[in-house]
Amino acid sequence: MNLLLILPIAIPLTAATIGLLFRKSPMVQRASGVIGMAALLVSVIYLSWQTYTDGIQVIQLGDWAAPFGITLVMDLLSAAMLIITAIMGLVVSIYSLYDIDRVKEQYHYYPLLHILLIGINGSFLTGDLFNLYVWFEVMLISSFILLALGNRKTQLQGAVKYVIINLVSSLVFLFGVAMVYGMTGTLNMADLAVKIAEVENTGLVTAVSMIFIVSFGIKAAIFPLFFWLPASYHTPPVAVSAIFGGLLTKVGVYALIRVFTLIFTHDIGYTHTILLWVSGFTMVCGVLGAAAQMEFRKVLSFHIVSQIGYMIMGLAFNTKLGIMGAIFYIIHNILAKSNLFLISGIAQRLTGTFELKQLGGLYRQYPWLAVLFLISAFALAGFPPLSGFWAKLSLVKAGLQIEQYVITGVAILVGLLTLFSMVKIWAYAFWMPMEEENKSEQFGKMKLMGAGGLNLLVTPVIILAAIIIIVGLFAEPFLSFCMLAAEQLLNPEIYIESVLGES
Amino acid sequence: MLIALLSIFIVGLIAPGLYSVLREKTGWVLAILPFSVFIYFLTLFPAIADGEVITQSTDWVPLFDVTLSFYLDGLSMLFALLVTGIGTFIVLYGSGYLAGHEYIGRFFCTILLFMGSMLGVVLADNLITLFVFWELTSFTSYLLIGFSHDSAESRNSALQALLVTGIGGLALLAGLILMGYTAGTFEMSEILNSGDVLRESPLYLGILILILAGAFTKSAQFPFHFWLPGAMAAPTPVSAYLHSATMVKAGVYLLARVHPAMGDTDLWFYLVTGFGAATLLISAWLALCYTDMKQILAYTTVMVLATLTMLIGMGFPLAHQAAAVYILGHALYKASLFMVAGAIDHEAGTRDIAKLGGLRSLMPISAVAAALAALSMAGIAPFFGFIGKELLYEAALEAPMWSTLLISIAVLGNIAVVAAAGIVAIKPFYGPKVETPKHAHEAPLSMWIGPITLASLGVVFGSLPFLIDSSLIVPTASAIYGETLDFYLSLWHGINLPLILSVVTLLGGIAVYKIWTGLQSSTPAGLYSTTFHDGPKGGYQFLVDGMLSTAGWQTRVLQNGMLRYYVLTIVVTMAVAIGYTFMSRAGFAWNNELGSVELYEWTLFATIIASALIAVMVRSRLAIIVALGVIGFGLALIYLMYGAPDLAMTQVLVETLTVILVALVLVHMPPLKKSEAAGSKFRDAVIALTLGGIFTAMTLTAMTLPFDLFISEQFAEWSYPAAHGRNIVNVILVDFRALDTMGEVVVVAVAGLAVYALVKMNKKQSKNGGAES
């Protein structure tokens, strides 16, 4: 029992409550926003360290022994996800200090951000299938409002698509939970793992597993269920785009990894082959979607879809290297993708637009922004020695190791198209000279850093870029961590034993 | 070696900062760096000359067997010296060429980063490390080619080079990983000894094709050659360095490096020699189709790369000896010629042959450098190029297969090269003076010191080949071949067939030179360049455009902006995926032990179904809510009938509240719009019923399984004594599963906040004039 395991839920809950109580005070809003995130980061680092040194951490809430109450579990996968979430929370809340206007601030922006994180953290921590559903609901409602906050027409259009499709996902998820409960009489995931193996009608179990592929697949934005994502992510304030683009889909991927390594492992030949096909289509559709876009954030949004494909591919390989690659890919992708969203926001501040054809001249005028973009964009495209290279390398190695040549080939080609989109942004926004008539007032006058600069926007970008470089240059500890996490996942008995105790 | 490499990278990164301090002296200061690295390699020279191999290794990512390991033998030594030696002059040259340019600091930065990357490629022992540096050369060259980024042509050329070398790089990555897996090690030095394992592996063909894809794209072999002339959009220092002496040779280097492990098969011979020979012939004559000095030089570069490819493909000592000589000879004369071309462009304002002439008196040093370099390029004794060409002819004549064809190609190609050498070295400097856009004068010291030194080395090495033959060329050729070779170089081999062919080549070249002006503008030349330059380039463009139009089409179809179709797609996907799996894997099963259904139960079910139908059919919002309410209460009745009064109570409460609340909200909303056509309604009904049917069937099938009451019974047992509550549902909600409830409370609270925020914000914004910031 580790009581502190509730911190990743309790800290944002507290911060959100404080924010709500002092609605009128911008100072409190901002402070509770940033300090809450910082506290969260500290707590998850501490908890992760415990998990790393002492093994999987568990808390049985209400002291009701598993499988009767709800269990929170932290294994290395959860640890990795929690840390990256807290990092994103912190940098995005700093970014928000400048990016989010007073009105949104007053209408609960920071509390909502924290509530979103409650949902995300809860999803990563919970060891209970129904409880996961609850966290999904928390995530959904808070993200819906963050999307709509501001009430612009495009925002509402995007938000409606977002919420309706995600409600379909929730509904199906709930049906899946009911089916699982009907078959096994339990909701505790560790217990489920044991009991589902005893269900005689394995065909039915496989059919139920498809429910989860679809439901989590919608959340993860896989092919052909991804529509809500490109429809909505380019509409809200940049800070919101960044945290959504980084984190939300990854919760879906996390859920897929969790249930398809722990619970549904009885018919891998079928389920994981489907996942493999899905991953291929997801990669290709997403990257082609991006190639067709000419708006900064839309390009990035479609790329999220494409890169989800890589993560699913790693899961579908179902080997240590594959799953390790998937986890590393998730982490790397959150860093690079969110950073690109943040950069798009800075570019927009400087030039007044997200449209690539109207952007321009940033390389000449703002070389440091160009450097930051290059780092993030080429990391995303998998160039060495940045974080993305190791992600790509892991997955390509994993694919070649088990002789999955076709999908590996697809992944490699998609990598090239990713590069294509990234340099497209580069060529338009940074290299192309800016038309005189498009030049906004602040272009060239506003500084990136220093007095009269965009310090609060740039600092988070620098932090993330630094992490990308560090992860790239000193990849070993990060890769080893993911490797250990993958080992845990492929040996579910460790998880089961930690939750249910020796049996 | 690691330190040498790192120092280049670090200095590269701080170069823009240095520039702001040192200003115009930066070039001279920065040049010290590559020069000291050059000297460092010279100190290792004696050991390499003795046939030793120096290795160094530092761990990087042990998990993936990635080490920062370096391997210095003759081949890497030759390249390392070229990279740093020519690099020194390029830094100087660049400081003159770009003096006062707004990006000169950025230029120093990228060129040094490129230099480090290139040095990394030729030194790396570990396959992955090799690839890391390989990709870095692609990246830095992208930035360098797009240096003049205001012009669309530069941007497109940069993209083209990046994509072509990028796809090759990705193939190479796959090839290297497979190679590592097959050989059981990721160190090149160990792989070189396990050639038999590779050659006998079933993956040999795949690995070979992938690696060749990497090498051929990088070294601009047909049909990927078109990016190299395009890359001439880069400023001349870049062209001189990347596109003559270094980056494009990375592919050749790779071929040479892996030859001992991958070569010696028919497949290798046919693929490598075949592509090399074809590219040689095509590109040599393409050079004559242009009047831009840089384009001409670019295509002769492709020709030399092709010659090297062909020689490496032949796979016997003499060919590799020729290759080693060619690498050095070409680097010396081509870098000089490019720098001269740049100097002319810089000083005269154009580098179009047709607009140049008589510069000899104005730019005497450049003229000398150009003449020396061109003589070497044309392969005239006693220049180093002559030795190379003699060896090439000898090798082609001795080729195990197809020697007649190869020698003909070699001679034909070299005739074109002789002519090209004449064109770039004679036309601009001799003949009548032509008025140039700028009044020309000699370039500054920083810009002529490189060409004159390098071009002179060509004549020094040519007349005194013993200076470098056993110390550098022999170890290089040995490294390519894979076994220690023993030979020496000499100018005079007696009157033999190669010499006769050389004379033929020279005469042919002079003849072509004489008629070049007419030839270049003739229709066949136009046709030729259309076929072999524009053709492959068009192929590339076709692929890019095809990809883009597919992308556009796909996105319009999938992401069509209509929520209705999104939901439709999702529901159909669900029905297919879940339904198919269910029917094929499980099949419908019916639990016979279930009791018979009584009349009152039928009535209830009928009511629920009828309400559901009403809910989807009526158009009044209120009626829909009522119908849904009926379903809810029906469910409560079901709970009641089957022994869950607690649950029934909760359900009744929730349902009542929901209906009242929703009704309150919805009565104020406008009536629903007219629904769409009967056809799509029918389609939607079928799909909805299918999915509903599948879910029902699955639920019924699940009923055949024994239900595990373990947890429910435990709850019932603990509810009162341990949790102090008589209503089990309540206890579950607030105790056993309190966290769920807390989550749901948050959901409800947030929903409330949302309504408040959205409504109030709207008011506030409309008060403030509507638009939000």
Side-chain angles (χ1 to χ4, degrees):
Chain A
M1 280 284 256
N2 185 345
L3 277 178
L4 295 179
L5 228 46
I6 59 159
L7 284 181
I9 294 169
I11 291 175
L13 189 62
T14 314
T17 314
I18 294 174
L20 287 175
L21 287 176
F22 298 92
R23 194 171 78 81
K24 299 272 176 196
S25 156
M27 261 324 284
V28 176
Q29 293 295 320
R30 293 158 163 244
S32 69
V34 177
I35 296 172
M37 294 297 180
L40 177 66
L41 181 58
V42 172
S43 76
V44 296
I45 288 175
Y46 176 71
L47 288 169
S48 301
W49 177 250
Q50 282 190 318
T51 311
Y52 183 69
T53 52
D54 307 340
I56 297 177
Q57 300 291 306
V58 171
I59 178 173
Q60 313 287 0
L61 289 167
D63 207 16
W64 298 109
F68 304 106
I70 292 174
T71 314
L72 297 185
V73 193
M74 186 161 174
D75 65 353
L76 289 172
L77 172 62
S78 311
M81 299 304 293
L82 284 168
I83 291 184
I84 194 73
T85 303
I87 292 176
M88 291 316 305
L90 182 61
V91 294
V92 168
S93 62
I94 296 173
Y95 192 91
S96 304
L97 295 177
Y98 192 102
D99 192 47
I100 299 298
D101 59 49
R102 279 295 161 87
V103 181
K104 292 192 190 74
E105 209 170 70
Q106 199 184 347
Y107 286 99
H108 326 301
Y109 171 77
Y110 289 103
L112 284 168
L113 202 58
H114 275 289
I115 291 170
L116 178 69
L117 257 69
I118 298 176
I120 296 174
N121 290 346
S123 306
F124 292 149
L125 275 174
T126 188
D128 186 285
L129 204 56
F130 182 78
N131 193 234
L132 181 62
Y133 168 80
V134 172
W135 297 128
F136 273 20
E137 294 286 277
V138 173
M139 255 168 61
L140 179 56
I141 188 84
S142 50
S143 55
F144 170 55
I145 298 157
L146 283 171
L147 265 180
L149 210 59
N151 271 346
R152 281 183 311 153
K153 196 175 169 212
T154 52
Q155 274 185 295
L156 291 178
Q157 278 170 349
V160 166
K161 286 172 189 143
Y162 173 83
V163 82
I164 289 186
I165 294 177
N166 274 286
L167 279 174
V168 172
S169 159
S170 299
L171 205 65
V172 182
F173 182 10
L174 202 56
F175 177 65
V177 172
M179 287 299 294
V180 165
Y181 187 68
M183 291 190 296
T184 61
T186 186
L187 291 169
N188 180 294
M189 297 203 282
D191 199 29
L192 260 176
V194 177
K195 289 197 175 140
I196 214 149
E198 295 160 6
V199 174
E200 277 166 28
N201 191 343
T202 52
L204 189 60
V205 175
T206 311
V208 171
S209 74
M210 297 307 295
I211 299 178
F212 286 95
I213 291 190
V214 172
S215 168
F216 295 158
I218 294 176
K219 296 273 175 202
I222 62 174
F223 174 86
L225 312 166
F226 57 73
F227 311 107
W228 58 270
L229 192 153
S232 59
Y233 273 19
H234 61 285
T235 60
V238 172
V240 176
S241 288
I243 197 149
F244 282 21
L247 294 176
L248 289 193
T249 46
K250 279 52 170 201
V251 183
V253 177
Y254 165 86
L256 280 170
I257 294 180
R258 182 62 78 201
V259 299
F260 283 95
T261 54
L262 181 64
I263 300 172
F264 299 114
T265 52
H266 62 288
D267 192 0
I268 282 170
Y270 185 76
T271 51
H272 287 56
T273 305
I274 290 179
L275 285 173
L276 199 63
W277 278 92
V278 164
S279 73
F281 280 109
T282 309
M283 283 189 260
V284 173
C285 275
V287 88
L288 286 180
Q293 303 305 315
M294 284 309 275
E295 203 255 278
F296 206 140
R297 285 199 287 178
K298 281 189 187 168
V299 176
L300 298 179
S301 300
F302 272 101
H303 267 296
I304 299 177
V305 175
S306 173
Q307 280 137 11
I308 294 296
Y310 283 88
M311 303 164 200
I312 305 294
M313 179 177 83
L315 168 64
F317 287 158
N318 199 44
T319 59
K320 202 161 85 173
L321 200 54
I323 293 180
M324 180 247 131
I327 300 172
F328 190 83
Y329 204 105
I330 294 175
I331 294 170
H332 138 71
N333 198 244
I334 292 175
L335 291 167
K337 180 52 58 60
S338 301
N339 212 22
L340 287 169
F341 270 111
L342 297 179
I343 291 169
S344 78
I346 299 177
Q348 191 264 348
R349 291 269 167 191
L350 294 169
T351 60
T353 180
F354 287 110
E355 290 298 329
L356 293 182
K357 285 190 172 153
Q358 290 163 24
L359 279 162
L362 289 170
Y363 176 67
R364 169 166 286 127
Q365 208 54 252
Y366 294 100
W368 286 108
L369 187 66
V371 169
L372 292 167
F373 174 82
L374 281 180
I375 292 169
S376 314
F378 278 83
L380 198 76
F383 261 65
L386 301 162
S387 59
F389 172 66
W390 302 105
K392 181 170 83 179
L393 183 65
S394 316
L395 287 174
V396 171
K397 275 186 93 164
L400 295 179
Q401 192 184 39
I402 52 170
E403 301 178 4
Q404 289 283 6
Y405 298 124
V406 177
I407 191 80
T408 311
V410 171
I412 282 179
L413 278 177
V414 169
L416 185 76
L417 293 179
T418 310
L419 179 64
F420 177 82
S421 291
M422 288 303 115
V423 296
K424 177 171 80 183
I425 300 180
W426 169 258
Y428 277 105
F430 289 86
W431 264 355
M432 209 168 73
M434 197 173 200
E435 307 274 338
E436 277 304 322
E437 71 249 39
N438 287 341
K439 260 189 192 149
S440 64
E441 221 172 274
Q442 65 271 35
F443 188 75
K445 291 185 191 126
M446 203 175 220
K447 281 195 289 185
L448 274 190
M449 292 293 273
L454 301 168
N455 304 10
L456 288 172
L457 298 187
V458 179
T459 312
V461 175
I462 294 175
I463 295 173
L464 291 181
I467 299 178
I468 290 172
I469 292 178
I470 291 170
V471 173
L473 287 180
F474 308 98
E476 176 73 10
F478 302 97
L479 292 167
S480 309
F481 189 93
C482 294
M483 192 61 110
L484 290 174
E487 267 169 36
Q488 274 185 352
L489 291 172
L490 286 176
N491 296 295
E493 59 282 355
I494 309 174
Y495 183 98
I496 296 169
E497 225 166 70
S498 312
V499 174
L500 300 177
E502 307 275 340
S503 53
Chain B
M1 281 184 261
L2 182 59
I3 296 168
L5 263 180
L6 285 181
S7 65
I8 296 181
F9 279 108
I10 292 167
V11 173
L13 288 175
I14 59 169
L18 282 180
Y19 179 74
S20 57
V21 181
L22 298 167
R23 309 309 297 182
E24 63 272 20
K25 294 192 213 81
T26 321
W28 292 94
V29 174
L30 283 178
I32 298 171
L33 175 73
F35 187 66
S36 3
V37 178
F38 179 78
I39 299 291
Y40 163 74
F41 281 109
L42 278 186
T43 61
L44 301 174
F45 197 79
I48 303 299
D50 288 346
E52 273 181 51
V53 168
I54 301 172
T55 56
Q56 284 175 8
S57 178
T58 316
D59 271 355
W60 189 12
V61 181
L63 189 68
F64 282 175
D65 302 318
V66 183
T67 48
L68 287 171
S69 54
F70 302 106
Y71 180 83
L72 191 67
D73 62 356
L75 182 63
S76 355
M77 175 59 99
L78 173 60
F79 272 95
L81 291 175
L82 290 177
V83 169
T84 51
I86 297 181
T88 306
F89 291 121
I90 293 291
V91 170
L92 288 178
Y93 184 83
S95 72
Y97 188 87
L98 293 169
H101 193 283
E102 60 174 326
Y103 290 155
I104 187 164
R106 299 184 202 184
F107 165 77
F108 285 128
C109 169
T110 12
I111 200 93
L112 284 175
L113 292 184
F114 171 79
M115 191 187 294
S117 314
M118 191 60 209
L119 196 56
V121 168
V122 299
L123 292 178
D125 188 9
N126 187 280
L127 298 183
I128 305 296
T129 308
L130 171 82
F131 178 77
V132 167
F133 288 116
W134 182 282
E135 289 287 85
L136 280 174
T137 61
S138 296
F139 168 67
T140 42
S141 73
Y142 170 71
L143 292 181
L144 287 167
I145 296 171
F147 190 78
S148 315
H149 57 80
D150 285 347
S151 93
E153 192 209 337
S154 282
R155 294 197 300 269
N156 289 336
S157 299
L159 175 67
Q160 187 178 303
L162 183 68
L163 289 182
V164 175
T165 56
I167 183 81
L170 290 165
L172 177 65
L173 175 64
L176 290 175
I177 292 176
L178 285 175
M179 193 183 201
Y181 274 145
T182 310
T185 167
F186 278 85
E187 299 299 318
M188 187 67 88
S189 48
E190 291 165 23
I191 289 174
L192 292 181
N193 300 323
S194 46
D196 291 337
V197 182
L198 283 172
R199 279 184 287 263
E200 281 154 23
S201 152
L203 290 176
Y204 174 75
L205 176 64
I207 298 175
L208 183 63
I209 289 176
L210 289 168
I211 289 185
L212 292 185
F216 287 176
T217 47
K218 199 80 158 180
S219 282
Q221 296 300 292
F222 184 81
F224 307 113
H225 59 288
F226 59 91
W227 73 262
L228 181 61
M232 293 303 138
T236 304
V238 175
S239 311
Y241 193 42
L242 276 70
H243 306 126
S244 68
T246 56
M247 185 175 89
V248 291
K249 287 225 180 82
V252 170
Y253 167 80
L254 185 72
L255 292 177
R257 179 49 84 207
V258 299
H259 171 262
M262 300 288 293
D264 272 345
T265 61
D266 281 355
L267 202 60
W268 171 276
F269 174 81
Y270 282 117
L271 284 176
V272 181
T273 309
F275 273 96
T279 314
L280 191 166
L281 192 60
I282 292 169
S283 58
W285 289 87
L286 268 177
L288 301 182
C289 297
Y290 298 90
T291 57
D292 178 348
M293 286 178 82
K294 279 177 79 175
Q295 292 293 329
I296 298 171
L297 290 173
Y299 266 120
T300 58
T301 305
V302 176
M303 180 272 180
V304 172
L305 296 170
T307 308
L308 287 166
T309 306
M310 182 175 105
L311 285 170
I312 294 168
M314 289 189 205
F316 61 102
L318 191 62
H320 294 163
Q321 195 181 327
V325 171
Y326 242 86
I327 294 170
L328 177 60
H330 172 253
L332 295 177
Y333 74 68
K334 192 53 69 64
S336 319
L337 284 176
F338 262 113
M339 288 195 256
V340 169
I344 293 175
D345 192 12
H346 196 254
E347 304 306 332
T350 179
R351 49 170 205 257
D352 188 333
I353 298 280
K355 296 175 188 150
L356 290 166
L359 290 172
R360 182 176 38 138
S361 53
L362 298 173
M363 301 178 72
I365 307 176
S366 296
V368 172
L372 291 176
L375 288 169
S376 188
M377 176 170 161
I380 293 167
F383 289 85
F384 199 57
F386 174 73
I387 303 182
K389 196 177 55 180
E390 294 293 294
L391 284 169
L392 164 68
Y393 286 176
E394 273 181 52
L397 287 168
E398 280 184 30
M401 293 174 276
W402 301 97
S403 94
T404 321
L405 183 65
L406 292 175
I407 187 72
S408 323
I409 290 176
V411 172
L412 277 173
N414 273 292
I415 289 177
V417 170
V418 171
I423 293 163
V424 292
I426 301 176
K427 295 262 181 201
F429 293 105
Y430 296 85
K433 236 182 225 170
V434 178
E435 203 46 52
T436 49
K438 268 163 78 176
H439 181 70
H441 48 78
E442 187 54 85
L445 168 67
S446 60
M447 283 176 69
W448 59 252
I449 184 159
I452 197 79
T453 315
L454 294 172
S456 314
L457 281 178
V459 67
V460 172
F461 291 158
S463 11
L464 312 167
F466 60 85
L467 281 178
I468 45 157
D469 64 352
S470 66
S471 54
L472 188 60
I473 300 300
V474 171
T476 306
S478 308
I480 303 175
Y481 184 61
E483 281 167 39
T484 310
L485 303 175
D486 191 17
F487 60 87
Y488 61 93
L489 300 177
S490 61
L491 272 175
W492 181 247
H493 288 224
I495 297 175
N496 53 10
L497 193 50
L499 187 68
I500 296 168
L501 288 173
S502 277
V503 175
V504 172
T505 311
L506 191 61
L507 295 175
I510 292 170
V512 173
Y513 171 77
K514 290 280 180 203
I515 58 164
W516 176 70
T517 319
L519 191 66
Q520 188 271 329
S521 48
S522 68
T523 327
L527 203 63
Y528 186 76
S529 77
T530 314
T531 316
F532 290 111
H533 177 77
D534 302 350
K537 195 173 165 183
Y540 156 85
Q541 203 54 48
F542 177 77
L543 286 177
V544 172
D545 293 343
M547 186 275 287
L548 283 176
S549 62
T550 314
W553 169 81
Q554 178 226 265
T555 314
R556 277 193 303 280
V557 171
L558 284 179
Q559 197 75 29
N560 50 35
M562 280 181 279
L563 181 58
R564 171 192 313 281
Y565 291 110
Y566 297 166
V567 175
L568 188 76
T569 314
I570 290 172
V571 172
V572 170
T573 308
M574 262 192 251
V576 172
I578 301 170
Y580 172 76
T581 311
F582 173 64
M583 295 313 292
S584 66
R585 303 246 136 189
F588 179 66
W590 175 260
N591 188 347
N592 290 318
E593 291 159 27
L594 294 177
S596 60
V597 185
E598 300 298 324
L599 183 63
Y600 68 93
E601 289 170 323
W602 279 118
T603 322
L604 182 55
F605 298 154
T607 317
I608 293 180
I609 291 170
S611 313
L613 285 176
I614 290 169
V616 290
M617 277 152 73
V618 295
R619 208 168 297 157
S620 143
R621 292 179 195 271
L622 205 58
I624 295 176
I625 295 157
V626 172
L628 290 176
V630 173
I631 299 177
F633 288 114
L635 287 176
L637 280 177
I638 294 180
Y639 294 148
L640 199 61
M641 283 194 274
Y642 297 103
D646 309 18
L647 204 55
M649 247 163 70
T650 318
Q651 173 75 18
V652 168
L653 283 174
V654 169
E655 205 56 52
T656 314
L657 259 176
T658 318
V659 170
I660 294 175
L661 284 178
V662 176
L664 276 177
V665 175
L666 289 192
V667 284
H668 296 292
M669 293 181 74
L672 285 173
K673 271 185 231 149
K674 206 169 154 19
S675 51
E676 74 277 31
S680 57
K681 250 184 175 172
F682 179 72
R683 175 199 63 200
D684 291 351
V686 170
I687 292 169
L689 284 174
T690 310
L691 188 64
I694 291 166
F695 281 9
T696 312
M698 285 176 76
T699 316
L700 289 173
T701 306
M703 302 282 280
T704 61
L705 302 171
F707 185 67
D708 190 336
L709 288 170
F710 180 57
I711 290 180
S712 339
E713 280 168 359
Q714 191 69 62
F715 279 166
E717 192 187 318
W718 280 343
S719 180
Y720 188 63
H724 312 290
R726 286 178 203 279
N727 181 325
I728 300 178
V729 176
N730 287 357
V731 175
I732 292 174
L733 289 179
V734 302
D735 200 337
F736 293 128
R737 302 189 61 91
L739 192 63
D740 287 343
T741 314
M742 191 201 82
E744 292 297 345
V745 168
V746 171
V747 172
V748 175
V750 171
L753 279 181
V755 175
Y756 175 76
L758 295 181
V759 172
K760 286 280 260 193
M761 260 177 102
N762 243 3
K763 280 188 187 154
K764 198 160 215 171
Q765 276 162 8
S766 50
K767 232 184 338 192
N768 294 347
E772 67 116 5
S773 63

